[in-house]
């Protein structure tokens, strides 16, 4: 990859290593933990000023958000990938890699948390999501927009730096609690939820309709699960907009957690990490409240 983009050597001194070699559709929690531990190790090195991670686009937003919640450094961490293979016309991988290095090497990139750079745009790991299956402009931030852009080797940010305050320290070998996602649809069968309860899931993210609404077929099951100590998060299958607390559902009554500005896949990550600290639904809600749109 590096030899294909020799111009990178003009903007940064690069050392490279390969942690895993898989399609990103096969990513799992074990790899996230391994990646996070290595990133934190490197961030603590005085001779490392930033990190670029090449990643498949299928689950890039999840890996970026996991790193956002498990790293604590002012140094830049940037993920990038490619929507087109290297053999295609107008392959986007080389430019995306060059741009990611340019962002990581930029002095103004510090104290911005984990970022994703694709198609000349820079996104926060919290906001970014894949919005198209094949287009090179697949990555967007539906609510807050991009935080910057790259033109040539010039990096421009349109938001001020910030330091994210919610961090979950993890160690290599830790086993994260089992959390699943239930995707809602008209006439959903109760078995979609009872399966998770019977298999001792510690948390369930419900990708509901609208503002996190829950079908009558599964509402009693989720309610019972919450009474038994399973953390229930109301998210939404809708592409944009928050799931608001105490709006469509009486969250306080049922001890449900509203996902606020996080989509189902990011809600699952935050819930897994939250369960390493607490099983109190009110504490977990406070974590999610940090992501109000």
């Amino acid at each position: 990859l590096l030899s294909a983009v020799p111009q990178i050597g003009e903007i940064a001194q690069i050392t490279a290593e390969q942690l895993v070699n898989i399609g990103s559709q096969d990513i799992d929690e074990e790899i996230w933990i391994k990646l996070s531990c290595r990133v934190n190790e490197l961030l603590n090195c005085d001779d490392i000023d930033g990190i670029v991670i090449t990643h498949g686009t299928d689950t890039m937003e999840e890996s970026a958000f996991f790193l956002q919640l498990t790293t604590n450094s002012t140094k830049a961490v940037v993920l990038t990938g490619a929507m087109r293979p290297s053999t295609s016309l107008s392959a986007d991988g080389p430019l995306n890699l060059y741009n990611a290095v340019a962002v990581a090497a930029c002095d103004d990139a510090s104290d911005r948390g984990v970022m994703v750079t694709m198609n000349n745009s820079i996104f926060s790991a919290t906001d970014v999501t894949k919005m198209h299956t094949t287009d090179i402009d697949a990555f967007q931030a539906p609510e807050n927009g991009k935080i910057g852009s790259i033109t040539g080797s010039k990096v421009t940010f349109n938001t001020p730096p910030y330091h994210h305050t919610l961090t979950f320290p993890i160690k290599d070998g830790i086993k994260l609690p089992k959390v699943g996602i239930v995707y809602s649809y008209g006439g959903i069968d109760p078995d979609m939820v009872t399966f998770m309860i019977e298999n001792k899931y510690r948390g369930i993210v419900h990708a509901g309709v609208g503002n996190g609404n829950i079908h009558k077929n599964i509402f009693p099951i989720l309610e019972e699960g919450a009474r038994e100590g399973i953390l229930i998060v109301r998210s939404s299958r809708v592409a944009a907009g928050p799931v608001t607390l105490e709006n469509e559902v009486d969250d306080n009554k049922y001890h449900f957690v509203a996902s606020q500005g996080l989509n189902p896949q990011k809600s699952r990550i935050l819930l897994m990490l939250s369960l390493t600290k607490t099983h109190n639904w009110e504490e977990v809600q406070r974590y999610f409240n940090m992501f109000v749109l």
Side-chain angles (χ1 to χ4, degrees), residues 25-239:
Q25 70 272 13
D26 293 326
I27 204 81
D28 58 23
E29 296 89 346
E30 183 179 348
I31 294 173
W32 281 336
I33 293 167
K34 181 179 180 181
L35 176 61
S36 177
C37 290
R38 182 57 179 151
V39 166
N40 277 298
E41 184 180 8
L42 291 170
L43 290 173
N44 286 325
C45 296
D46 292 336
D47 59 344
I48 299 292
D49 298 310
I51 296 175
V52 169
I53 300 166
T54 58
H55 197 291
T57 60
D58 285 353
T59 55
M60 186 189 296
E61 67 185 89
E62 293 176 71
S63 295
F65 189 59
F66 188 89
L67 291 172
Q68 175 85 314
L69 295 176
T70 57
T71 58
N72 187 12
S73 174
T74 61
K75 297 177 181 178
V77 177
V78 185
L79 281 78
T80 194
M83 291 301 298
R84 294 172 177 168
S86 60
T87 54
S88 70
L89 292 173
S90 302
D92 59 326
L95 180 58
N96 286 338
L97 180 58
Y98 179 87
N99 285 344
V101 173
V103 172
C106 176
D107 291 338
D108 199 23
S110 62
D111 219 13
R112 293 182 181 274
V114 177
M115 293 168 280
V116 168
T117 298
M118 293 286 290
N119 198 37
N120 295 324
S121 296
I122 309 168
F123 302 98
S124 164
T126 298
D127 300 325
V128 70
T129 190
K130 190 175 183 179
M131 298 289 289
H132 197 280
T133 54
T134 58
D135 198 272
I136 60 168
D137 200 25
F139 283 80
Q140 302 291 332
E143 296 294 339
N144 295 319
K146 63 185 181 181
I147 63 171
S149 58
I150 309 102
T151 304
S153 60
K154 180 177 173 55
V155 177
T156 304
F157 287 98
N158 51 33
T159 60
Y162 75 97
H163 187 69
H164 65 285
T165 57
L166 182 60
T167 305
F168 298 88
I170 58 170
K171 295 181 179 180
D172 197 13
I174 188 175
K175 187 171 179 60
L176 295 176
K178 186 185 290 188
V179 174
I181 300 174
V182 175
Y183 187 93
S184 189
Y185 50 86
I188 184 171
D189 195 294
D191 289 349
M192 300 300 293
V193 180
T194 55
F195 170 83
M196 292 186 181
I197 293 176
E198 291 169 357
N199 283 274
K200 302 187 185 305
Y201 278 66
R202 302 282 295 281
I204 298 173
V205 175
H206 176 253
V209 295
N211 192 356
N213 272 324
I214 305 170
H215 195 284
K216 64 180 181 179
N217 288 356
I218 63 172
F219 199 117
I221 304 170
L222 292 173
E223 181 184 358
E224 177 62 27
R227 282 198 295 266
E228 294 177 2
I230 299 172
L231 267 292
I232 309 296
V233 173
R234 290 191 308 110
S235 187
S236 178
R237 69 184 197 180
V238 181

Side-chain angles (χ1 to χ4, degrees), residues 245-266:
L245 183 65
E246 303 290 353
N247 192 314
E248 299 284 359
V249 176
D250 189 342
D251 295 298
N252 188 62
K253 175 182 177 180
Y254 299 109
H255 293 185
F256 293 162
V257 174
S259 68
Q260 303 289 7
L262 297 180
N263 61 24
Q265 54 269 34
K266 291 182 181 179

